[in-house]
Amino acid sequence: MAHTTNTVFRDDAYLAETDAVVVAINDRGGIILDRTNFYATSGGQPGDTGFLIRTDGSRIAIAATITGETKNEIIHVPAAGEALPEPGEKLGLSIDWPRRHLLMRMHTACHLLTVVCPFPITGASVAEDDSRVDFDIPETGFNKEEVTARLMELVKADHPVFTRLITDDELVANPGLVKSKNVRPPVGTGQIRLVCIGDNGVIDSQPCGGTHVRSTGEVGEIHIGKIEKKGRENRRFRIRFGPPPAQ
Ligand SMILES: [Zn+2]
């Protein structure tokens, strides 16, 4: 039977350290806790790395965090050769915060890109230094300088970023909230988590389970590194940190 982990990262993306109790070690050596601040790989955002701290001060390095049988069963995958804790053991939890913060800035940047390019999303991948979003776009009306300028307007306006829960029925009544062409948000749990940008979500609102910064200003300087043609009607936009490289 799948365990249900209290996913505290969904309520507080800024919780770098916390503690938890070991619930189980699965048959592949994955560590399952009663609660966690480690984000598990999903929705294009990679899972957290970091370490667990035992009461004697020794550390268990965590190489990856993934979901198990359900989205709410979070599995901490220890690095090779690490000692395993015992069920019932209390542990400190410490995520690699500088890495996570880069991923949060990038994930929010990807949402801003979907505002600048309001087309169906066919894929996305968030990474520390280079993220991508793929869109179905009928023709190339976009150049990277113009998209970068519009992204930076949204960053500089420092719009608030927050989450809101809606019901399945509200989602059905507002199909425009779903920007992904292939991935439908999970319905049937009764609640959908929206990530909203701007006062009352006026800039953007879309279903997303990822971790985000508090305001668009925290994204910092970004630019479009490349717009690649992936098919007749598909374009891949690559987002990078920092100013555009000098021509
Ligand atoms: Zn997202």
Side-chain angles (χ1 to χ4, degrees):
M1 200 192 79
H3 298 88
T4 300
T5 312
N6 179 3
T7 51
V8 292
F9 55 81
R10 291 205 179 116
D11 300 318
D12 184 0
Y14 287 81
L15 192 65
E17 290 177 3
T18 189
D19 45 51
V21 174
V22 179
V23 170
I25 307 296
N26 73 12
D27 52 10
R28 298 168 74 183
I31 302 166
I32 300 167
L33 307 170
D34 63 337
R35 62 198 298 276
T36 192
N37 56 340
F38 279 67
Y39 181 79
T41 302
S42 67
Q45 182 180 331
D48 282 319
T49 57
F51 51 86
L52 309 178
I53 310 154
R54 308 182 85 172
T55 44
D56 67 1
S58 64
R59 293 177 170 194
I60 301 166
I62 298 301
T65 309
I66 56 175
T67 51
E69 289 176 42
T70 70
K71 280 227 163 198
N72 288 316
E73 186 182 60
I74 310 295
I75 300 178
H76 306 77
V77 181
E82 290 289 82
L84 289 176
E86 299 287 335
E89 192 174 331
K90 193 175 179 191
L91 298 171
L93 280 61
S94 181
I95 61 171
D96 181 340
W97 173 251
R99 173 176 179 269
R100 158 73 91 73
H101 192 239
L102 287 172
L103 293 171
M104 285 164 53
R105 290 169 59 200
M106 269 298 194
H107 197 153
T108 304
C110 289
H111 283 220
L112 293 180
L113 180 58
T114 71
V115 174
V116 175
C117 301
F119 294 94
I121 300 163
T122 57
S125 173
V126 179
E128 293 107 291
D129 46 12
D130 180 302
S131 297
R132 63 168 177 83
V133 184
D134 300 340
F135 298 93
D136 265 356
I137 298 181
E139 27 129 353
T140 47
F142 289 96
N143 69 66
K144 59 185 183 180
E145 291 76 17
E146 187 186 312
V147 175
T148 297
R150 291 186 57 200
L151 283 172
M152 285 310 299
E153 278 172 28
L154 291 166
V155 170
K156 286 177 182 154
D158 201 20
H159 297 291
V161 181
F162 57 96
T163 61
R164 189 162 83 77
L165 294 173
I166 61 168
T167 63
D168 291 348
D169 290 343
E170 282 177 273
L171 185 71
V172 170
N174 295 280
L177 289 170
V178 180
K179 297 188 171 190
S180 178
K181 192 176 169 183
N182 311 316
V183 184
R184 300 272 112 189
V187 290
T189 59
Q191 284 189 318
I192 308 284
R193 180 184 193 255
L194 293 184
V195 170
C196 309
I197 301 175
D199 293 329
N200 299 315
V202 66
I203 303 290
D204 187 50
S205 295
Q206 58 181 298
C208 176
T211 58
H212 290 268
V213 292
R214 291 186 182 110
S215 71
T216 61
E218 201 171 317
V219 170
E221 187 156 24
I222 50 172
H223 66 277
I224 296 297
K226 250 186 211 169
I227 302 175
E228 298 166 85
K229 190 171 176 175
K230 302 304 282 186
R232 194 168 59 86
E233 295 195 346
N234 203 262
R235 298 292 179 278
R236 171 168 292 176
F237 288 64
R238 291 190 175 276
I239 306 174
R240 293 182 184 141
F241 283 125
Q247 297 299 312

